[in-house]
Amino acid sequence: MNWRIIAIPITLIPIFIIAIQFDIQIEDVLAIGIFPFIGAIVAMMIKLVLQGIKFAYITRKYLGDFDSFLKLVGVRVGSEFIKFTTPMFIGAEFVVIYYLHKKGAKPAKSAWIAIMDIVTEVFAAGLLSIMAGIIALLSGAYVVAAVILATSVIITSLWMVMFFLSSKHTFQVPKVLENLAKRFAKEKGTKAIEKTNIWMEEVCTMSRENLKTSESKKIFTISFLFSLASWSFYGISFMIIAMGTGFVINAFDSIMAVMGANAIGNLPITIGGSGLAEFGIIAYINNLDPFAFEISEGVVAWDAVIGWRIATYYVPIVITWLLLVKLALSKIPKSQSS
């Protein structure tokens, strides 16, 4: 976990490059004003809390009165620290699986809850990002639209296909990976593959048992709506910051800009999408040639984007880290596990 803390300063490198390249001074960012910063932070925290409420809702539906509702919310919010410090869209689900299993839930059921959580998250983000990509395409930003659509369609399709196919097909570790594990890890590799295959079979069995039930369909629908709401607040956070610089953007356009940027930031290139998300917003809103960053007057500038990044990444990362350590990674007395 320590390497993730060390990785955080690395995310500042693209910010410094942008600041130097476009002569962004600290006073330019501070000129946005304290209230827009606070407003953006609040919007971002609402996004995270909605994710936590959704996770607690799913967990309670499948496990009953399993744990404190507020603690489940806190664990899910804390798990976002992994996403913030990982160069991919995924990551947080492993924390919640670990926590649920540590509290006494069976591995397969813990995985099923995490999968339901992440799939609805990806589905909502994917649909919003695809909308953003289509709008960019219609606006003539062909390169930006291509990157957004390619990333969104691939990630969303992969998750959704795997999710729904799991109810009809039992997935196992691919033979190539199995052979490599057995060859290099010998007996330990063989045992790890066997355990993984058993776990995957149990998850697929749960998928067959649950996906076709009306209760699970209801849980999926409500969770999806929670995800749409949480991503919307993520977009609104930029609208609030932009207002502090005098740039007027409505809520819908702000959500589309941020979700387009989010799709670009999901490329497995930089930690937490640092640099990519900032580029995505500028390119999307200003309809720029992605290889020429001259920004005309009267449109959103880099200071607003850097301010948004600070409010929605560097402040929440401290909060999510504290919750991760305090709740998800804390030791649980045997008397509390079940």
Side-chain angles (χ1 to χ4, degrees):
M1 186 60 66
N2 289 336
W3 69 267
R4 294 186 183 279
I5 299 176
I6 296 173
I8 294 173
I10 298 176
T11 65
L12 290 169
I13 295 175
I15 303 295
F16 288 142
I17 293 174
I18 291 171
I20 294 170
Q21 179 68 30
F22 301 101
D23 193 27
I24 305 299
Q25 305 297 324
I26 186 66
E27 53 265 27
D28 296 324
V29 178
L30 294 176
I32 293 172
I34 186 65
F35 291 113
F37 267 113
I38 293 176
I41 293 170
V42 169
M44 183 62 182
M45 293 313 301
I46 291 175
K47 177 215 184 270
L48 295 177
V49 170
L50 285 173
Q51 286 179 271
I53 292 174
K54 182 189 71 170
F55 170 69
Y57 164 76
I58 296 172
T59 302
R60 286 295 191 91
K61 282 295 183 180
Y62 285 111
L63 296 178
D65 191 14
F66 175 76
D67 197 6
S68 163
F69 190 90
L70 289 179
K71 186 174 288 188
L72 289 171
V73 172
V75 167
R76 180 62 182 88
V77 173
S79 71
E80 283 295 289
F81 177 82
I82 305 301
K83 176 184 169 184
F84 284 145
T85 54
T86 305
M88 285 291 285
F89 185 82
I90 58 176
E93 62 272 18
F94 297 111
V95 172
V96 299
I97 290 173
Y98 167 77
Y99 178 79
L100 293 176
H101 180 53
K102 184 173 65 171
K103 289 285 289 185
K106 294 181 178 179
K109 184 157 283 189
S110 300
W112 171 254
I113 292 170
I115 289 170
M116 179 70 82
D117 178 34
I118 196 66
V119 165
T120 51
E121 199 76 8
V122 171
F123 188 33
L127 286 182
L128 291 173
S129 296
I130 290 170
M131 286 176 59
I134 292 173
I135 292 173
L137 184 65
L138 295 176
S139 300
Y142 300 118
V143 176
V144 174
V147 175
I148 293 173
L149 289 173
T151 307
S152 302
V153 170
I154 290 173
I155 292 176
T156 306
S157 299
L158 180 63
W159 273 99
M160 298 310 295
V161 169
M162 293 290 287
F163 180 65
F164 288 109
L165 277 183
S166 66
S167 65
K168 299 180 180 180
H169 176 75
T170 299
F171 292 103
Q172 298 283 268
V173 176
K175 284 294 182 181
V176 175
L177 296 179
E178 181 179 343
N179 293 334
L180 288 173
K182 290 179 178 179
R183 180 179 178 181
F184 293 104
K186 307 299 181 181
E187 185 177 348
K188 289 184 178 180
T190 301
K191 290 182 178 179
I193 293 296
E194 289 176 353
K195 288 182 179 180
T196 302
N197 281 334
I198 291 172
W199 171 74
M200 292 176 72
E201 183 177 355
E202 290 175 346
V203 172
C204 291
T205 299
M206 288 206 66
S207 179
R208 282 190 286 274
E209 292 175 353
N210 289 293
L211 269 184
K212 295 180 181 179
T213 65
S214 58
E215 180 65 13
S216 284
K217 291 177 181 178
K218 178 183 176 182
I219 293 172
F220 183 90
T221 301
I222 292 175
S223 299
F224 171 69
L225 294 176
F226 263 108
S227 294
L228 281 178
S230 78
W231 284 116
S232 296
F233 274 99
Y234 188 42
I236 289 171
S237 67
F238 180 72
M239 179 188 73
I240 297 171
I241 282 288
M243 290 171 60
T245 65
F247 178 74
V248 179
I249 182 172
N250 61 52
F252 178 79
D253 288 340
S254 182
I255 292 170
M256 291 296 98
V258 169
M259 295 313 298
N262 183 70
I264 296 173
N266 285 332
L267 293 171
I269 299 174
T270 63
I271 297 172
S274 183
L276 295 175
E278 291 87 335
F279 152 77
I281 288 184
I282 287 290
Y284 187 90
I285 292 181
N286 296 339
N287 195 16
L288 298 177
D289 174 352
F291 303 105
F293 292 95
E294 294 81 9
I295 302 175
S296 58
E297 294 184 3
V299 292
V300 67
W302 284 108
D303 54 346
V305 177
I306 292 176
W308 170 75
R309 182 69 170 181
I310 293 170
T312 61
Y313 181 80
Y314 292 104
V315 173
I317 207 171
V318 175
I319 298 172
T320 56
W321 164 248
L322 292 174
L323 289 172
L324 179 68
V325 174
K326 180 67 177 178
L327 298 176
L329 301 182
S330 62
K331 290 184 179 180
I332 298 177
K334 292 183 179 179
S335 60
Q336 291 185 26
S337 60
S338 56

